[in-house]
Amino acid sequence: MNLKEFAKSIGMSQTTVSRALSGYPEVKLETREKILRLAQELGYHPNRAAAGLATGRAGAVGIVMREGLGFDPNTTEFMAGLGSRLETRQIDILITVVEDRQAELAAYRRLAASKRVDAVILHTPTLDDDRMQFLKELNMPFIVHGRGDDHGGYPWLDIDNLGAMYRATGYLLDIGHKRIGLINGAKGDTFAEHREQGYRRALKERGLQAPDMLVVNGLFTDDIGYRAMQDFLALPEPPTAVLAGSMMSALGVMRAVRSAGLQLGRDMSLIAHDDVFNYINADNMVPTVSTTRSSMREAGVRIGDILLQMLAGRDVANHHEIWPVELVLRESTCPPANA
């Protein structure tokens, strides 16, 4: 069926249906969800070939990943959300894998010249990022997943990384901890810098400072979490609590704590940044793990919404979103043993 027939069959106007499928915010969330559900149930799919002929669009968006850096559980969750949203409009995702930043810029140049994608998703922005200006010069539409420039003239979506770490650190300070370790992302990545700022701000407000040996930067892996925690425990004055930048890092922290004969939630406290993985549930761990919670899958869905608005011709150049992060307390946090 075509759009007219589908709209008639569900008793809604073509305009409402088209706007809902394109992600326009004017359509109420419950209405959009109802239309998406009915489209799936009735087997309605927009005719992408016809739309492409009419609009001159490729019907695809691009994302460039750096080998060894971009593939992790966070990426899987994000892509699942993004793909599920774009599929409702039969928009494909073209993934290009490169080795370094120069190769990434070359990939954007190829995508712009070949016109194989209508827009690209730029991820993991850095403090000195030149990719946004490069894409502007290529006249390539894009959206940033992460914090961008408020006056940059492009859309971005981020979580409140500074607020998340500020609140988590503040809670640990409130229950008596004074030496708190931070296992963070790569130095220079905007989200990691904001998290460290929140962590240090909370300490400074209590008249405390974080020694450099209590802050570790790197990829979010079990191995790095394990090694960082081992190094913390080997210090003359080890921390009594740790903030792990992801659930993957937290798994390594938990392993190191057990290997040292200590008990999490008694001898050591842990708060992890939890991206709501379906296969790593903080509620099912022993002990259950306190988290600052956000959903990468939901972020992928929302990025897809904004992309669809962009492709539909809506001006989203100054659209910026910052999502609050919830602090969920469980068994892995407790006052320090010597309190």
Side-chain angles (χ1 to χ4, degrees), residues 271-286:
I271 298 179
H273 184 69
D274 170 27
D275 287 303
V276 198
F277 301 132
N278 291 329
Y279 39 85
I280 306 177
N281 191 330
D283 283 314
N284 294 336
M285 293 180 172
V286 181

Side-chain angles (χ1 to χ4, degrees), residues 164 167-168 171 270-272 274 276 282-283 288-294 325-333:
R167 187 176 179 189
Y171 171 75
L270 169 68
I271 298 179
D274 170 27
V276 198
D283 283 314
T288 58
V289 177
S290 297
T291 60
T292 52
R293 180 162 57 187
S294 70
V325 179
E326 181 182 7
L327 176 61
V328 183
L329 299 175
R330 298 185 179 91
E331 297 170 346
S332 67
T333 47

Side-chain angles (χ1 to χ4, degrees), residues 28 50 83 131 148 198 233 251 315:
K28 293 181 179 178
R131 292 176 295 173
L233 293 173
L251 292 176
D315 182 8

